[in-house]
Every structure is written in C-alpha cells, then in structure tokens.
Amino acid sequence: MSRESTESEIDSPAANTDRSTAPDHDEVDYLSREVNLLKPSTPFMRDHLKIIWAGFIAWALLTFGPPVLTYFAPATMTAQLPVIGFPAHYFLVAVLSPTSSLVLAFVYSRKRDQLDRRYGIDHAASKSRSKSEGEAAVTDGGSVE
C-alpha cells in the first residue's frame, strides 16, 4: 500500500463522491484500522455493516416471527391452511424459516458482490497476485519458508 489514509481523508466528501475507483480502495490500510461494530472506521466497513444489520434483522423477523405470532394470535396461527391442510404456524416454521435463510444467504452474497464492485475490490486479482509472487496462504498469517 502506497500510503496510509487518515480517517478525515476517507470521510471527506471528495472521497465519497466516486467510490468506484480501485486506487481509493488500495490507499486504505485496512489492517491498521480499528474494527468497531458501533462506529466503523472506513466507508467500506460502514456499507458492509449496513448489509449485515439488514440481513440480521430480516433473519430475526423471519425466524422468530412465526412463534411470536403463534403466541399473540393462536387462533389464526393454529388454523388449518385450506390447500395443504397443515396449521399455519407449522407451515411457516417448517417451510418459511429454512427457505428464508437460503434466500438471505443469496441476497447477502449478491449485495457483497455489489459492494466489492463499488469499492473496486477484485478477489481474482489478489489470488493471481499471491500466486505470481510465490506466496502460499497459511492459516496463522505467517509465510511459507
């Protein structure tokens, strides 16, 4: 990385106007940045955290919604569905929860890909760069000797 950007440079309006350029992303030293879920230090982290929180809220509603609705509206949720003959709460827990988890995983991956394109992050380039330099990935962050 050529130089370390300060937080004021990253948060400046000039840096936020065009986030599609790769050099802006390359100038940020993400490894030296503090990771704080309540106050992210870079625009990329802020946008990624928005995606994570939106997915978490949707997951919580879809997972815990049917049992809570069954508690507050037992007559409606225990009524038989006309077509399949199952109680509504059983159908929602058995079908909606697992299906919504798969859909949320797909949506997250699409949003993350959009975010990577927006900030110019190219995972293929980093893989080819590490292969061309002769570096192997190690789990502890060290290098292969």
Side-chain angles (χ1 to χ4, degrees):
M1 311 218 180
S2 59
R3 69 178 183 94
E4 185 177 334
S5 299
T6 62
E7 189 169 343
S8 61
E9 290 173 346
I10 292 171
D11 292 335
S12 69
N16 291 334
T17 56
D18 184 22
R19 293 182 178 172
S20 63
T21 58
D24 290 339
H25 169 69
D26 288 339
E27 292 175 2
V28 178
D29 185 13
Y30 287 102
L31 296 177
S32 68
R33 292 303 212 165
E34 177 183 345
V35 176
N36 184 348
L37 292 178
L38 301 176
K39 187 176 186 255
S41 61
T42 64
F44 173 79
M45 289 180 193
R46 279 192 289 275
D47 291 344
H48 188 218
L49 197 58
K50 287 177 189 175
I51 294 170
I52 290 172
W53 278 111
F56 175 73
I57 291 169
W59 170 82
L61 289 173
L62 292 168
T63 301
F64 298 111
V68 170
L69 283 174
T70 303
Y71 178 77
F72 286 114
T76 305
M77 293 298 287
T78 57
Q80 299 259 335
L81 294 175
V83 177
I84 59 175
F86 286 111
H89 72 283
Y90 178 80
F91 179 76
L92 290 175
V93 170
V95 175
L96 180 70
S97 294
T99 305
S100 64
S101 295
L102 291 173
V103 169
L104 284 172
F106 176 76
V107 168
Y108 172 77
S109 67
R110 298 288 293 192
K111 289 291 191 180
R112 179 59 198 257
D113 288 344
Q114 290 174 357
L115 190 64
D116 287 349
R117 279 193 298 276
R118 180 178 178 188
Y119 284 95
I121 298 171
D122 185 17
H123 297 285
S126 65
K127 287 180 184 176
S128 65
R129 185 172 45 228
S130 67
K131 286 180 182 177
S132 66
E133 294 172 357
E135 295 179 8
V138 293
T139 59
D140 65 353
S143 62
V144 176
E145 296 179 21

